[in-house]
Amino acid sequence: MNISPGDHIRSILESASVEAADAALVLRCRSDDQSAWDQLVDRYQRLIFAIPRRAGLSEEQASDVLQDVFLTLFQKINEIDQPERVRSWIVTTAKYKTWAVIRSAKGFYSPLTEEEMELEMASLRDKRPLPDDVLIEIEEQHLIRTALSSIDERCRTILSMIYLRTPAASYLDVSKAIGVGETSISPLRSRCLQKLEKVLRR
Amino acid sequence: MKTSEEKFDHIVHRMQTDRSVDAPLSAIKYSKDLFKGKLTLARPSLLRRIAAVMNIDLASNRPAFGERSGSDDKVRQILFDAEEYAIDMRIKESENGFSLRGQVLGYGFENGSVELVSSSGSKTEKLDEFSEFDIIGLAAGEYSLVVRGSHSEIFVEKFSL
C-alpha cells in the first residue's frame, strides 16, 4: 500500500471542527477555566510527547520537552493570535524545543528565540530527525485518535478490535464482544469507518 | 481525488502505524498543575507574569557544588529560575515552625512585595531594598508564592514546607 500525503490528508489537518474545539478550549483557558486547561493537556500530551520521541530523545528528555511546551503555552495563552491554530503552534513549539535539546546535547549553539531557531532550521538541508512528513504523520495520527474517541462506543470497539489489536481480532470475536451476528461485522466495520472519516472531514 | 476506499486505507494505515504512547503521569500532572498556580495567584494586573521553575533543591546539611561544607542549621535551599530572574529561597525549621527567607535576583523587585498562599489563607510582606524577604512562623504544608516588582511578578507554583 503506497500512502502519501494528498488533498485528503491536508483536509484532515485543516479539520474545521477540530480547530473550533481547540479555539473554544483556548478561550476557556483565558477565562481561568481549569477543566479546559486539563482537557488541552489531555488532548495534546501524546502528540507532544511523540515528537521528541520520534526524534530519538529519551523518555526523560521527551518529558522535559512536554513540560516546557506546556509551560510556554501557559505563559503565552493570552498572546496566541489564532486560537483555532493552537495545534500548529504546539507542534512548532515542540519541534523547536526538541531541536534545542538535540543541538545542546551535541554541543552546538542553540538559538535563543523562536525566530532565530526558525531561520536556523530553514537554512538546514538535512531536516532529520524531524522531517515534515514525520510531523504530518504524527499530527494525522493525533487527529485520528481524537476522532476515534469522539465516535460511539460500539464503533470504537469494532475499529479498535479489528485495526489496533495485534493480532487483529476475528469477526467472530468482534461479534461476541458487541453482541451481533458474525455476518453483520463487515458492513458495520464499513459504516464505522465512514463515521470516522466524516468526523475527520468536518 | 482519492476514492472512499483509498481514504479508509489511509486512515487505517495511520491507525496501525501509530506507535505513540501517553507521556509519563508525572509530566502530565506537572503540566496540569501549572494552571492551578495561575488560579491561586490570579490578580487583575498589568505586570508581566513569569512562572518560576525549580532549578536546585538542596536539603539541609548538603553542601552546594563549590561550597566547603553543609551548614549545621536545618536549612533547605531552593533555587528557582524565572526567565532573566531567579529566586534564592532558604527554608529553616525551628521550634516555632518554619521560616522562609529569600531574595529575588534581578532588577525591579527592590521594595516590592511577596505573597505566600496556602489552603488556609495568604500572607503578604514587603521586600527590602535588596529584594529580600523574611517570613516566620509558618506551619508545615503546601504553599504557592508570588513576588511582585515594578514591572513583573514571578510566581512559584507549589512547594512544601
Side-chain angles (χ1 to χ4, degrees), chain A residues 5-50:
Chain A
D7 292 344
H8 173 61
I9 312 314
R10 275 188 282 278
S11 70
I12 286 180
L13 291 178
E14 289 159 12
S15 166
S17 64
V18 174
E19 291 184 348
D22 281 350
L25 285 177
V26 171
L27 295 179
R28 284 171 53 203
C29 286
R30 288 178 180 173
S31 305
D32 292 344
D33 184 338
Q34 172 78 51
S35 70
W37 176 258
D38 288 351
Q39 283 177 53
L40 209 52
V41 172
D42 286 333
R43 197 173 170 105
Y44 280 105
Q45 54 88 11
R46 197 160 152 176
L47 168 70
I48 298 169
F49 193 63

Side-chain angles (χ1 to χ4, degrees), chain A residues 37 59 74 86 92 104 110 116 125 138 146 178 183 187 190-191 198:
Chain A
W37 176 258
E59 188 176 305
F74 171 66
V86 70
T92 305
S104 144
S110 280
E116 219 184 322
R125 286 187 185 172
I138 292 172
T146 306
I178 61 167
T183 52
S190 296
R191 237 173 287 153
K198 199 174 164 188

